[in-house]
Amino acid sequence: MRTGTGSAGPERPKQTEAAWALTLAAVAAEVLVWVLGVFVVAPTGLDELTEFAGRSAAVTQLVRSAGVLAVLLGAWLFVAARMRAGRGWARAVLTVVGAVFLLFRVGGLGMDGIDPAWWAVVNALPDVLAAAAVVPMHLPGARAHFPSAPRRTA
């Protein structure tokens, strides 16, 4: 019988684990922002959609929105899991996604209106976490976890 904390493979660098944790936090924050925006923060998305299209259409639209969000977050988690497993392509994808999120937030490219300060902070949280997850993936300790592609000679 084996005891202890040993694993079959090599241990992941702490930088990769930090990027994974930040990505999980970003995904959770994205869900939180969606739920708050739809049901809590006035005027709620549900209220606005109901006023515009009626209750039935509003519920249908929110179900579609939740479905699309679930697919996108599932894809994000899949790519993050591949990054955690050492896939360089996944690190590149997450880097681009993190940079785009940060550009939207810092560059004011988002479509947010004038909101209370606390809501602006909460709404920015997923973008900031996604961008922050990029940093540990590129620190020296994590580089060895992402083997570079073999070079072809002519």
Side-chain angles (χ1 to χ4, degrees), residues 45-58:
L46 178 60
D47 293 341
E48 288 181 333
L49 281 171
T50 300
E51 184 180 320
F52 177 75
R55 184 74 170 177
S56 178

Side-chain angles (χ1 to χ4, degrees), residues 8-25:
E11 191 172 319
R12 290 182 193 96
K14 63 183 176 185
Q15 295 86 350
T16 303
E17 290 302 301
W20 171 251
L22 285 166
T23 300
L24 292 178

Side-chain angles (χ1 to χ4, degrees), residues 78-121:
F78 173 79
V79 173
R82 298 296 83 206
M83 175 279 300
R84 190 175 185 217
R87 305 299 189 270
W89 66 266
R91 179 174 71 159
V93 168
L94 292 172
T95 298
V96 169
V97 168
V100 168
F101 281 176
L102 191 60
L103 285 174
F104 270 89
R105 186 56 52 193
V106 173
L109 299 175
M111 302 301 282
D112 295 339
I114 298 173
D115 294 317
W118 70 269
W119 178 239
V121 170

